[in-house]
Amino acid sequence: MPCSLSPAAVLVCVALLVGGVAAAGAALDAVDVEDVYGFDDTPRAEPLDHPAWFKASFLDLDADLKEAVAAGKQGLMVYFGQPRCAYCHKLMTVNFGSPDIVEYTRKHFDVVAIDVWGIDEVTDIGGERLTERALAEREQTNFTPAILFYDAAGKVALRLRGYYPPYQFRAALEYVADGHHQRESFRDYLARGDNRMVFDEGDLNDESFFAPPPYNLDRRYPSERPLAVFFEQGDCHGCDVLHGQSMREEAIRGQFADLDSVQLDLRSTTPVVTPAGKPMTARDWAAELGLFYAPSILFFDERGREVLRVDSVVGFYRLRHLMTYINSKAYRTASFQQWRQGRELLP
């Protein structure tokens, strides 16, 4: 089936080609693409109410999983969020505002909510007891909403960190519910749909601070500055929004100019020497990193250690804070979550 290059049509095509469990139109006809990517991401004034169909849990995740499996479901979704997070609101209003997504989620999973700032005790799948906040930090839920999918055997089948548009979120549900996680990566699962779609190459969005090729990112000999690697692709609406909105802010552009920054097409055969000194193509490196979303921005320290990645929808508020973390070199002494909690920042 040929796919139009309009963003709305691309959403429908991916949903049809990747999942195949429900008609894409039922879930996506009402989706406003601009609303998904270009929303104001500042913290909300009103706290979030979870859907009534979320599980009323005593926060014993092992017991919750067993109850889900006994009810004929494929696993458990553990949702990490916070009441005023704009991205969490978007998940609830857009993704869980779709009857199709809600019906599919409720059929195949129970959903338990964790407050990333919470102090209530949680018993994890392995029986360890710790606070909600400690669990969120252990699982590196850098950006909310974050979701851990546990399969019926109690294994983590998929991690999502941040907000994803409905078509990718629905694909994630199907990826776990249909057992694809036992055979292939989520990236490969999505690619089976992407590879059948007809795209023009399209130009990437350029920025004055992007270093030109050749891309020798070898940091076995330390650099003086952190490194930011943008993985993007042509005909990418999320990439267009990133560069057309957040990246137009001088506060953001100035901070990227203080880093070593490069841009790679995650589908290309462009030669790259990775921070670890390994020669490969941009496409192969993206696959090795497990990237499936564009745009993704990965940050490496002066010695080539990855310290943070944002591989989901990101707006000005979130991007500004993560750039402050990187440029202040706070990663030398604290994880992003520890730094954020110390400053009482909403992710």
Side-chain angles (χ1 to χ4, degrees), residues 9 60 85 141 144 302 327:
D60 183 335
C85 164
T141 57
T144 55
E302 297 86 341
N327 275 297

Side-chain angles (χ1 to χ4, degrees), residues 52-94:
W53 51 268
F54 272 28
K55 183 179 177 63
S57 171
F58 292 106
L59 300 185
D60 183 335
L61 301 184
D62 187 57
D64 289 332
L65 176 61
K66 289 176 180 175
E67 289 180 12
V69 173
K73 301 185 179 183
Q74 275 65 54
L76 183 71
M77 291 170 56
V78 181
Y79 157 83
F80 294 84
Q82 52 187 326
R84 301 184 190 276
C85 164
Y87 298 88
C88 302
H89 281 247
K90 190 62 61 176
L91 175 69
M92 300 304 165
T93 58
V94 175

Side-chain angles (χ1 to χ4, degrees), residues 244-302:
Q245 295 185 12
S246 297
M247 299 299 291
R248 299 273 66 78
E249 299 287 343
E250 287 303 320
I252 299 296
R253 294 178 61 80
Q255 294 202 66
F256 274 109
D258 289 336
L259 308 180
D260 294 333
S261 299
V262 300
Q263 180 191 51
L264 300 174
D265 185 332
L266 59 76
R267 295 171 170 166
S268 75
T269 57
T270 301
V272 180
V273 178
T274 72
K278 184 178 180 180
M280 57 199 318
T281 66
R283 180 175 61 198
D284 290 343
W285 190 27
E288 183 179 271
L289 292 165
L291 299 179
F292 61 86
Y293 179 81
S296 289
I297 310 173
L298 276 63
F299 297 90
F300 299 85
D301 69 9
E302 297 86 341

Side-chain angles (χ1 to χ4, degrees), residues 1 11-25 27-28 100 104 107-108 166-167 169-175 177-178 180 189-190 192-193 196:
M1 131 181 199
L11 297 184
V12 173
C13 288
V14 175
L16 284 169
L17 295 172
V18 172
V21 177
L28 300 173
D100 176 73
Y104 192 83
K107 178 180 179 181
H108 295 286
Y167 75 95
F169 186 76
R170 176 57 188 268
L173 295 171
E174 294 173 341
Y175 171 73
D178 292 344
H180 295 281
Y189 177 66
L190 286 175
R192 288 198 285 112
R196 292 176 55 192

Side-chain angles (χ1 to χ4, degrees), residues 87-255:
Y87 298 88
C88 302
H89 281 247
K90 190 62 61 176
L91 175 69
M92 300 304 165
T93 58
V94 175
N95 298 35
F96 287 141
S98 165
D100 176 73
I101 288 179
V102 171
E103 178 183 2
Y104 192 83
T105 302
R106 296 184 69 181
K107 178 180 179 181
H108 295 286
F109 302 96
D110 279 342
V111 183
V112 172
I114 298 289
D115 183 347
V116 298
W117 300 98
I119 59 173
D120 288 346
E121 185 177 84
V122 182
T123 302
D124 71 7
I125 294 292
E128 181 181 354
R129 295 181 178 180
L130 65 174
T131 65
E132 292 175 280
R133 177 180 292 197
L135 178 63
E137 183 174 342
R138 189 190 75 186
E139 298 298 337
Q140 299 181 333
T141 57
N142 289 325
F143 303 112
T144 55
I147 298 176
L148 266 63
F149 290 83
Y150 288 96
D151 65 14
K155 303 295 184 182
V156 176
L158 181 65
R159 298 172 185 264
L160 297 180
R161 297 185 179 95
Y163 174 71
Y164 293 92
Y167 75 95
Q168 285 177 325
F169 186 76
R170 176 57 188 268
L173 295 171
E174 294 173 341
Y175 171 73
V176 179
D178 292 344
H180 295 281
H181 66 282
Q182 299 173 356
R183 301 181 292 275
E184 61 185 333
S185 70
F186 187 47
R187 172 189 168 88
D188 289 342
Y189 177 66
L190 286 175
R192 288 198 285 112
D194 277 346
N195 289 341
R196 292 176 55 192
M197 297 170 64
V198 180
F199 286 104
D200 291 331
E201 283 295 324
D203 293 329
L204 303 185
N205 293 275
D206 194 20
E207 298 288 354
S208 59
F209 52 77
F210 285 151
Y215 300 115
N216 185 352
L217 311 181
D218 190 345
R219 297 208 158 201
R220 290 174 296 175
Y221 300 97
S223 175
E224 295 182 356
R225 306 198 300 179
L227 169 68
V229 182
F230 288 67
F231 284 91
E232 304 188 48
Q233 62 192 38
D235 297 301
C236 164
H237 190 69
C239 304
D240 294 340
V241 172
L242 173 67
H243 290 276
Q245 295 185 12
S246 297
M247 299 299 291
R248 299 273 66 78
E249 299 287 343
E250 287 303 320
I252 299 296
R253 294 178 61 80
Q255 294 202 66

